[in-house]
Amino acid sequence: MPIEQATISVMDRGFLFGDGIYEVIPVFGNKLLRLDEHLVRLQNSLNRISLLNPHTDNEWADIFSALLEKNNGEDRAIYLQISRGAYSKRDLSTNADFAPTIFVMVLQVTAPDIEIVSAGISVITVDDFRWNACDIKSTSLVASVMLRQQATDAGVEDAILIRNGIVTEGTASNVFLVKDNILLTPPTGLQLLPGITRDLVIEIANNNGIVVKEREIKEAELYNADEIWMTSSTREVAPVIKLNGKKVGAGVAGSQWKRMMDLYQRYKQQLRGNE
Ligand code: PDD
């Protein structure tokens, strides 16, 4: 239905408690990028909050295609949110008798323009005060909103989050670092979201002879990095050119980033070509 007509109850637990999870799935041409992987992560998030998956993978795929058919466009993304539903009382305790609220919409996104992306972004480091369950793609995002605000207040695009001296991720992206031509990224766990783009970048690196290591990264290593990238479904692979006001490497998008960006775009084109 048209978005203006879509409504939910004020008793919805997504609204009252942020008691829900979500996914953002990029669409190129008519192909969903890494649909299977997104559906696996969706299931993980649901398991973590003890909510039954209301649909099978095939049903989800059908819902997405029907919606994409009604919302034409080149580069789009599917936004999917499931909350624990609207209960009759405001009560933290859960009750499986109530059905979840499901919301799916098509986002019109503009594919990142290579010229603009290659100009790079400036970021600051901030203290990662989020909870110890960042592997859940939860709609409880107030901490992320506050952290992004710190970046905005500092006049930069984003922030790299640091927990006890260790790099976790961005406010809505994963972090990669290049040092001596080796690609480094923090391992998955409770401290960060296992990004689908992160996994794709690792896969592309592995398939193209780029050495990639998943290991703990100390904040201090950021300041000696040759390159820093931030990855997400909507941002793809963004080069960081300034960190806390200082140049990263030469202060321009690096050669490894250019190579990865080229490989990433080729992957997308192949996906489109298979239609
Ligand atoms: N965010 N880490 C966090 C905290 C995120 O919110 C995201 C994505 C990522 C990257 O995940 P992926 O590569 O699967 O997009 C990492 C989405 C895009 C959002 O909130 O809009």
Side-chain angles (χ1 to χ4, degrees), residues 14-273:
F15 174 63
L16 293 177
F17 303 137
D19 185 6
I21 55 100
Y22 75 109
E23 275 297 323
V24 179
I25 313 171
V27 182
F28 300 119
N30 266 321
K31 288 272 162 63
L32 288 125
L33 183 80
R34 301 240 145 180
L35 174 61
D36 292 349
E37 288 81 354
H38 279 280
L39 289 174
V40 167
R41 188 171 66 185
L42 175 76
Q43 187 63 58
N44 287 341
S45 294
L46 289 168
N47 292 346
R48 292 275 281 126
I49 69 161
S50 305
L51 192 57
L52 284 178
N53 195 332
H55 290 296
T56 63
D57 286 0
N58 283 339
E59 286 167 356
W60 282 123
D62 288 346
I63 292 170
F64 301 155
S65 343
L67 209 56
L68 287 168
E69 240 168 67
K70 292 196 162 106
N71 294 272
N72 289 331
E74 254 305 292
D75 294 308
R76 293 162 290 170
I78 290 281
Y79 176 88
L80 155 65
Q81 170 168 344
I82 307 170
S83 83
R84 211 181 298 273
Y87 289 12
S88 41
K89 280 196 306 209
R90 183 185 177 276
D91 180 4
L92 279 182
S93 308
T94 65
N95 180 343
D97 292 344
F98 292 94
T101 303
I102 303 163
F103 170 48
V104 189
M105 68 174 160
V106 173
L107 305 172
Q108 298 294 341
V109 293
T110 354
D113 180 322
I114 301 286
E115 291 275 297
I116 295 169
V117 177
S118 59
I121 56 171
S122 299
V123 308
I124 54 168
T125 51
V126 297
D127 178 42
D128 187 355
F129 56 74
R130 300 173 306 164
W131 62 347
N132 215 21
C134 294
D135 57 314
I136 307 172
K137 199 157 172 62
S138 161
T139 55
S140 314
L141 287 170
V142 71
S144 309
V145 169
M146 291 164 70
L147 292 166
R148 175 68 67 82
Q149 190 60 45
Q150 288 186 36
T152 307
D153 291 346
V156 295
E157 279 95 343
D158 209 341
I160 292 180
L161 317 185
I162 310 290
R163 192 186 289 240
N164 301 323
I166 305 296
V167 176
T168 57
E169 57 183 336
T171 57
S173 57
N174 292 109
V175 173
F176 283 82
L177 187 152
V178 179
K179 184 67 186 171
D180 299 330
N181 293 328
I182 293 176
L183 197 51
L184 302 169
T185 196
T188 55
L190 301 178
Q191 321 275 302
L192 58 110
L193 187 80
I196 306 297
T197 320
R198 171 192 180 277
D199 286 352
L200 179 53
V201 165
I202 292 174
E203 185 183 297
I204 291 175
N206 282 330
N207 289 342
N208 290 278
I210 301 167
V211 182
V212 44
K213 288 188 182 154
E214 292 176 62
R215 67 148 171 89
E216 202 173 89
I217 298 173
K218 296 198 171 63
E219 179 180 4
E221 292 182 74
L222 289 174
Y223 304 108
N224 292 315
D226 298 326
E227 300 180 26
I228 299 174
W229 312 338
M230 297 180 87
T231 66
S232 80
S233 293
T234 40
R235 190 173 252 168
E236 300 188 339
V237 186
V240 176
I241 53 153
K242 242 186 200 180
L243 174 71
N244 292 339
K246 299 215 170 72
K247 281 182 186 173
V248 175
V252 291
S255 56
Q256 292 295 328
W257 172 79
K258 285 196 185 82
R259 185 165 173 216
M260 178 55 68
M261 199 56 181
D262 191 42
L263 293 166
Y264 189 91
Q265 296 310 322
R266 225 180 286 168
Y267 177 89
K268 272 171 55 181
Q269 288 312 325
Q270 270 169 11
L271 195 76
R272 273 208 174 114

